[in-house]
Amino acid sequence: MQLLHAPCWHNLPLQSLNTRPKGGLSHKLGCVSPPPRKPFCFNKTRALSSSIQAGDSAVSVRRAESDVLKALSQIIDPDFGTDIVSCGFVKDLDIDEAQGEVDWNTRAQVSFRLELTTPACPVKDMFELKANEVVAMLPWVKNVKVTMSAQLARPVYAGQLPQGLQTISNIIAVSSCKGGVGKSTVAVNLAYTLAGMGARVGIFDADVYGPSLPTMVSPENRLLEMNLEKKTIIPTEYLGVKLVSFGFAGQGRAIMRGPMVSGVIDQLLTTTEWGELDYLVIDMPPGTGDIQLTLCQVVPLTAAVIVTTPQKLAFIDVAKGVRMFSKLKVPCIAVVENMCHFDADGKRYYPFGRGSDTNIHSSLFTYLQVVQQFGIPHLFDLPIRPALSASGDSGMPEVAADPQGEVAKTFQNLGICVVQQCAKIRQQVSTAVTYDKVIKAIKVKVPDSVEEFILHPATVRRNDRSAQSVDEWTGEQKLQYTDVPEDIEPEEIRPMGNYAVQITWPDGFSQIAPYDQLETMERLVDVPEPTPIGA
């Protein structure tokens, strides 16, 4: 069941979109591209003549393919300013001309596929529209056939995850650190918004003491099933979204101590057969204790969405939650301010107060402090609406019950923000630390930093602070300077959560290098220029 239609590019609201000046079609729109790949390779080729005779009305298909790619390269991925051809989005290009030549008079059909990084890309309609438009303008083109697809983006550090999480691309924590602010309402409606945008989505209710999911959704099967052979949990499902909650385990609400709860959450989350998901939304329990820390450490969270209300007390707890995520290197990508206002008798009322140029309400002042201090990029507000509250008790999420309503539009804006920011974070993490074989140096660009610096591989290896290199009791350096050859090169570098990289060296040693530590190492200043080939 399709809940929401993917937004058209010209109707996207500007409230939640990246507005960095980037050039291209529309610098305020876009889904983030992966790092540039090698030049495009065709999946279909035809025996063609590459010669072009002067004055001849026919051009070779090879030239025609080049013209198509040149036309498509006008379409820019807005967030990074890279065209869709360089991004590797264009697949299966085919010029339908049996004679091997494309004639200006008879003309030919062009078909190709645009493979995006997520089916929930908010500008996929724009990409399809513009691709049709720019190719159709070529004089020898009769018609254009564009097919849209999406390739599941694997976790950038999937090999380090439990089996159940290895096919989940993005894990989003929805947190409030204070109860009663509508966190579960935001988590559920965000999940169904992403599903309506075309993504494969799951929800994990991490509140064992007071699970909300069984009340907010109404699946036919309200009990989790066990695969006895694999010893795994089979999630239940409602409107195409996979669901796991302690409330579906037939136990009601838990009455147990913290360490037991952490074990239950770990088991429910990591042994579930989630399958291939684009987004797993975790409804975090309130607070910053054992359960929250366990989740943040066991699960490589892609990003967090913070939920609050316009009260000073709620904002104080929000600041605690943001600090917790900051220490664990989990980016907070949005704040949702719930229960901001309501409309009655043709007027809008703000029961908790609102800010103005002359008299800023204390809660707004605290809110601005959180934004300024932690740099949370996107802000959304939700009204007090009886329908939104009732949907939380009826078992039908509001965005599914009224997909064209005002609340659904706000969640759609939030969904667009989540898609864009997660893609950007994935790209930043996957390219934060790389090895340049030409200059034989490690390049580092820490996420959310504009600075790029270069380190000598031997320097990185000699600065390992693990127990194998440094005695944990005495602090004595066990790894000696001469133990590391000057020409050592890493065999593999891959992300380790959002805070470090794992570097594998030729001797089999696996080094964990946090970004904070890399930033303190001695840097290479004079990098030798690579020797030109044939010089």
Side-chain angles (χ1 to χ4, degrees):
M1 174 177 179
Q2 188 173 4
L3 308 179
L4 295 172
H5 295 290
C8 296
W9 68 275
H10 55 275
N11 289 329
L12 290 176
L14 301 182
Q15 175 186 3
S16 66
L17 300 177
N18 195 321
T19 57
R20 294 181 300 159
K22 285 294 181 185
L25 293 173
S26 173
H27 63 268
K28 298 181 181 179
L29 307 174
C31 61
V32 180
S33 67
R37 307 176 187 173
K38 294 181 180 179
F40 174 81
C41 295
F42 300 105
N43 294 335
K44 296 183 180 180
T45 58
R46 297 179 183 274
L48 308 172
S49 170
S50 61
S51 62
I52 304 176
Q53 297 181 358
D56 194 349
S57 62
V59 295
S60 69
V61 175
R62 183 174 301 177
R63 172 66 181 273
E65 290 171 340
S66 176
D67 287 347
V68 171
L69 291 180
K70 185 176 180 180
L72 291 173
S73 65
Q74 301 175 60
I75 305 175
I76 305 298
D77 183 289
D79 280 315
F80 287 95
T82 306
D83 66 87
I84 64 174
V85 177
S86 299
C87 289
F89 290 167
V90 184
K91 307 287 185 181
D92 302 333
L93 176 59
D94 186 30
I95 310 295
D96 186 15
E97 178 59 45
Q99 287 79 16
E101 290 186 334
V102 178
D103 192 271
W104 292 84
N105 298 317
T106 60
R107 300 194 297 176
Q109 174 176 298
V110 177
S111 63
F112 54 89
R113 177 168 57 90
L114 295 183
E115 184 181 83
L116 306 180
T117 56
T118 171
C121 176
V123 289
K124 57 186 176 184
D125 292 340
M126 181 271 285
F127 280 157
E128 183 177 7
L129 177 67
K130 283 296 181 182
N132 270 290
E133 179 181 313
V134 297
V135 176
M137 293 178 64
L138 296 174
W140 50 266
V141 173
K142 179 167 61 176
N143 53 58
V144 184
K145 182 181 179 182
V146 182
T147 305
M148 304 297 294
S149 67
Q151 176 66 37
L152 178 69
R154 298 288 181 181
V156 289
Y157 33 87
Q160 305 161 21
L161 302 181
Q163 185 66 33
L165 303 180
Q166 290 187 8
T167 54
I168 301 174
S169 298
N170 303 280
I171 303 178
I172 312 299
V174 179
S175 175
S176 66
C177 297
K178 183 172 182 63
V181 299
K183 168 182 52 59
S184 296
T185 298
V186 172
V188 170
N189 282 279
L190 171 61
Y192 280 92
T193 297
L194 293 171
M197 294 170 66
R200 292 158 292 190
V201 183
I203 307 176
F204 178 68
D205 184 356
D207 193 346
V208 172
Y209 292 119
S212 303
L213 203 56
T215 303
M216 304 192 72
V217 294
S218 304
E220 291 185 11
N221 185 5
R222 299 186 64 82
L223 287 176
L224 297 174
E225 298 180 1
M226 286 289 296
N227 185 325
L228 297 179
E229 182 178 343
K230 298 181 180 179
K231 295 183 179 180
T232 55
I233 299 170
I234 302 173
T236 186
E237 192 170 316
Y238 180 61
L239 299 180
V241 175
K242 295 181 179 180
L243 315 168
V244 171
S245 171
F246 188 76
F248 291 138
Q251 303 293 323
R253 297 167 185 254
I255 303 176
M256 60 182 74
R257 293 187 181 274
M260 294 179 63
V261 172
S262 298
V264 168
I265 288 177
D266 190 357
Q267 181 183 10
L268 285 173
L269 180 60
T270 61
T271 63
T272 293
E273 296 182 15
W274 292 106
E276 292 190 344
L277 294 182
D278 297 294
Y279 302 94
L280 176 63
V281 177
I282 298 183
D283 182 5
M284 299 278 286
T288 54
D290 285 345
I291 300 173
Q292 292 77 12
L293 291 175
T294 297
L295 280 168
C296 292
Q297 291 171 348
V298 171
V299 182
L301 298 174
T302 308
V305 173
I306 307 297
V307 183
T308 184
T309 53
Q311 294 170 289
K312 184 175 182 179
L313 186 60
F315 282 121
I316 292 173
D317 286 341
V318 164
K320 293 178 183 177
V322 174
R323 290 190 186 99
M324 177 188 72
F325 286 121
S326 178
K327 288 182 179 179
L328 295 168
K329 305 299 182 183
V330 177
C332 293
I333 57 175
V335 170
V336 178
E337 194 177 47
N338 196 18
M339 296 181 278
C340 289
H341 55 77
F342 66 90
D343 297 329
D345 302 326
K347 296 181 180 179
R348 176 157 291 184
Y349 297 90
Y350 295 83
F352 298 106
R354 62 179 301 191
S356 65
D357 292 336
T358 58
N359 183 24
I360 297 181
H361 189 271
S362 60
S363 66
L364 179 61
F365 178 72
T366 308
Y367 178 63
L368 292 175
Q369 279 186 319
V370 171
V371 173
Q372 183 177 7
Q373 181 175 354
F374 297 105
I376 300 175
H378 300 283
L379 318 173
F380 302 87
D381 61 83
L382 287 170
I384 300 175
R385 281 187 177 273
L388 182 58
S389 176
S391 67
D393 300 328
S394 66
M396 172 70 75
E398 174 69 7
V399 297
D402 184 14
Q404 303 301 323
E406 181 181 347
V407 171
K409 291 178 181 178
T410 300
F411 276 107
Q412 196 170 41
N413 295 341
L414 177 60
I416 292 170
C417 169
V418 168
V419 170
Q420 292 177 324
Q421 295 300 313
C422 284
K424 183 189 300 182
I425 291 167
R426 287 177 57 84
Q427 192 274 340
Q428 290 176 337
V429 170
S430 63
T431 60
V433 182
T434 57
Y435 180 65
D436 191 322
K437 293 184 178 180
V438 177
I439 62 174
K440 297 185 182 302
I442 294 176
K443 292 183 176 180
V444 182
K445 185 176 181 181
V446 177
D448 295 327
S449 172
V450 296
E451 179 189 15
E452 181 181 72
F453 55 91
I454 299 175
L455 302 174
H456 195 290
T459 301
V460 177
R461 179 68 178 86
R462 289 166 181 152
N463 277 274
D464 176 58
R465 305 302 298 171
S466 70
Q468 295 188 41
S469 302
V470 180
D471 190 294
E472 292 181 293
W473 296 102
T474 65
E476 179 184 356
Q477 185 76 33
K478 295 193 293 185
L479 178 69
Q480 300 302 315
Y481 187 93
T482 55
D483 293 339
V484 180
E486 198 67 24
D487 60 350
I488 191 172
E489 297 184 56
E491 290 187 342
E492 183 184 21
I493 300 177
R494 61 180 180 177
M496 183 82 172
N498 293 318
Y499 71 95
V501 290
Q502 183 178 23
I503 307 175
T504 304
W505 298 99
D507 59 0
F509 180 71
S510 182
Q511 178 182 357
I512 305 299
Y515 297 145
D516 293 344
Q517 183 186 7
L518 292 174
E519 289 181 302
T520 63
M521 294 182 188
E522 182 181 359
R523 304 178 182 183
L524 282 175
V525 179
D526 297 324
V527 181
E529 293 291 334
T531 304
I533 298 176

